Amino acid sequence: PHAASPRERIVSNLSSDRTRTMVSSRTEHTPLLKEEAPASSAGRAVRWAAAAAVGSLALFAAVSVGQMAPGAALWAHPGAALGASEDSLAAAESHRRTAAANEAESTQTARNMRDAKEMADAVLAEAEAEAERLAKLAAQKRKDFEIAKAETVEDSEEATSGIQALEDDAMAKDAELTSRTTAYEATRAAYANSTAAIVTLGEELKKATAAKDAASAVHDKDLATATTAKQTADDLSKQANALNAKTQADPKTGEVTAEEAKKRAEEVAAAAGKAKAAEIVAARAEKKAADSADAVAHEELLVKTATEALDAEKSRNKRLAVASTQAEQDMIQQSHQTSLARVAAADAKSTAETGFYNSSSVQSEMEDAAKKAEEDAALAANVAATRAAEAKKADVVAKAAEDAAAVAQSQLALAESEVKVEQFKIAAEKNMIEAKEK
């Protein structure tokens, strides 16, 4: 092995850098030509142009170094020079293969971009024609709507004449119906409340009567008890008085012993105490009977009040029944008259407004059609503007792709020239070896 010459080191370094640039450009940044977007193609074209510039500089450096190599070195060491030239040829052929691949790919990309530009131009022409057609259609629809709008105004003026008096009459009768309906509802509610009050007052009368009867039963029992207690008290009082008089009038009084006299006095006192106790019980019984008599009187007053209230409500209920019937009849009659007025007004209005409704419907349809046509036209204009921008962008991308293809072709020519130079050098070195051997 021999030390690499300056030319070989330069060619090797530049070739290695260019190879890495080309491989990176092809494998890491660009998809297949037929599938990539125009924006990506533009970027690839720029990258290929840069790579071609680097390759051209490498080839220029290699050729310049080769031209500076002195012939004396080749003559002094023809074998070593031949080996170095063969290595240089291999590197040059590798560069040529890479350049050929890049040139084929860039040429195909340029062709694809031209096709894309032609397609974009065709789509743009179609979009512009459609936008123009829809704009004319929208203008015609707007004109039709304005005509329909004017006709609707005329029909509206015709529809409002001749029906105002009928509508006013119908509204007046409707107001009267509302008044009579309100009066009937109030009378009917009062009659219903009165009917319910009769039931309630009847129940209250029953309760009051039952309470009076219960109080009367209690009073009768208390009165009987008081009468019995009074009779008992009177009998015991008479007996006590008789015993006292008899004891005092007894001839033995004053002649009996002290113990017997004391005993006779105790008997008189016991009879008097018993009579007094009976009088107290009788007085209490009479008081209770008097209280129960007051309770009976109170309950009788409640029964009287409940009876009078029930009778008054029944009388009022009869009057309310008559008033409710009359109010209902008035409401029915007014409802009939109001219905006739409403039908007459509605029929007149329907007849008068038929034309207006038809023209209004036509106007609405025309307005919707005009708005829809204008929306379609605006959308088509936006689409055409978008297609114009796309066509412009496709033109830029196509030109960039063509420039990149031209650069790649130049790079391929340079690489082929480099191969030829190396081939000539090898031939020259072989001739020197043969000459030296002779």
Side-chain angles (χ1 to χ4, degrees):
H2 62 278
S5 64
R7 174 187 176 279
E8 292 172 340
R9 289 197 300 272
I10 293 174
V11 171
S12 177
N13 292 336
L14 292 178
S15 299
S16 177
D17 292 341
R18 185 177 63 176
T19 301
R20 285 196 297 270
T21 301
M22 295 300 178
V23 172
S24 174
S25 174
R26 285 176 53 79
T27 59
E28 297 180 5
H29 300 287
T30 57
L32 293 177
L33 288 175
K34 290 292 186 180
E35 298 177 353
E36 63 186 350
S40 298
S41 298
R44 293 175 60 227
V46 174
R47 290 194 298 271
W48 286 344
V54 173
S56 299
L57 291 175
L59 182 57
F60 176 76
V63 172
S64 298
V65 173
Q67 290 174 351
M68 290 186 297
L74 294 176
W75 184 262
H77 304 284
L82 179 59
S85 297
E86 290 176 350
D87 292 340
S88 298
L89 176 61
E93 289 176 345
S94 175
H95 297 164
R96 182 180 61 182
R97 286 192 297 272
T98 300
N102 289 337
E103 188 275 337
E105 186 173 2
S106 62
T107 300
Q108 183 60 46
T109 298
R111 188 178 299 111
N112 293 343
M113 293 305 102
R114 284 195 299 273
D115 294 341
K117 178 183 179 302
E118 293 175 358
M119 177 62 71
D121 291 339
V123 171
L124 172 60
E126 182 180 356
E128 288 177 342
E130 180 67 9
E132 182 179 0
R133 183 185 71 81
L134 292 177
K136 293 180 180 179
L137 179 61
Q140 182 60 44
K141 293 293 184 182
R142 176 57 62 177
K143 183 177 180 181
D144 294 341
F145 164 67
E146 295 298 334
I147 295 174
K149 184 178 180 181
E151 293 176 354
T152 301
V153 172
E154 295 177 359
D155 293 338
S156 175
E157 293 176 353
E158 294 177 1
T160 56
S161 61
I163 62 173
Q164 190 61 46
L166 292 174
E167 289 184 341
D168 292 343
D169 180 63
M171 291 180 63
K173 285 183 169 54
D174 187 71
E176 181 65 20
L177 175 60
T178 300
S179 175
R180 291 187 180 277
T181 301
T182 302
Y184 162 71
E185 291 175 348
T187 305
R188 178 63 183 173
Y191 174 61
N193 292 337
S194 176
T195 301
I198 289 175
V199 176
T200 302
L201 292 173
E203 295 295 330
E204 292 179 354
L205 178 58
K206 289 180 181 180
K207 292 179 181 179
T209 301
K212 179 188 74 69
D213 293 341
S216 296
V218 171
H219 174 63
D220 292 342
K221 183 178 179 180
D222 292 343
L223 183 60
T225 301
T227 301
T228 301
K230 182 68 171 61
Q231 185 63 44
T232 301
D234 290 343
D235 292 344
L236 290 177
S237 179
K238 290 179 180 179
Q239 291 175 7
N241 291 332
L243 179 60
N244 183 27
K246 180 181 178 181
T247 301
Q248 292 183 17
D250 189 355
K252 296 180 181 180
T253 299
E255 298 299 331
V256 296
T257 61
E259 291 181 359
E260 186 177 356
K262 184 178 180 181
K263 180 179 179 182
R264 293 175 68 185
E266 290 176 353
E267 290 176 354
V268 171
K274 187 175 181 181
K276 188 62 177 177
E279 289 178 1
I280 294 172
V281 171
R284 290 177 179 174
E286 289 175 351
K287 177 65 172 58
K288 185 176 182 183
D291 292 340
S292 62
D294 292 339
V296 171
H298 176 71
E299 296 299 334
E300 288 176 346
L301 180 60
L302 292 179
V303 170
K304 181 176 180 297
T305 302
T307 301
E308 292 174 350
L310 180 59
D311 293 340
E313 191 61 40
K314 286 181 178 179
S315 177
R316 177 172 173 268
N317 186 263
K318 291 180 181 179
R319 296 192 302 273
L320 289 173
V322 175
S324 176
T325 300
Q326 184 61 47
E328 184 175 358
Q329 291 173 350
D330 294 342
M331 180 186 68
I332 292 172
Q333 178 63 21
Q334 187 61 39
S335 177
H336 173 70
Q337 294 178 358
T338 302
S339 178
L340 292 177
R342 287 174 177 173
V343 171
D347 181 65
K349 186 173 183 179
S350 175
T351 302
E353 293 182 349
T354 299
F356 169 72
Y357 290 149
N358 291 337
S359 62
S360 178
S361 177
V362 171
Q363 175 189 338
S364 178
E365 293 176 358
M366 290 294 183
E367 184 177 12
D368 293 340
K371 290 181 178 179
K372 181 63 171 59
E374 289 170 351
E375 291 175 357
D376 293 342
L379 179 60
N382 291 335
V383 171
T386 301
R387 296 296 177 262
E390 292 175 350
K392 183 177 180 181
K393 186 175 182 180
D395 182 61
V396 172
V397 172
K399 290 180 179 179
E402 291 175 356
D403 293 341
V407 172
Q409 290 170 0
S410 298
Q411 180 182 356
L412 177 59
L414 290 174
E416 289 176 346
S417 299
E418 181 183 0
V419 171
K420 290 179 179 180
V421 169
E422 296 299 331
Q423 289 174 345
F424 288 147
K425 285 172 59 180
I426 292 174
E429 291 170 356
K430 287 181 178 181
N431 291 334
M432 289 181 183
I433 291 173
E434 291 177 358
K436 187 176 181 180
E437 290 176 351
K438 291 179 180 180

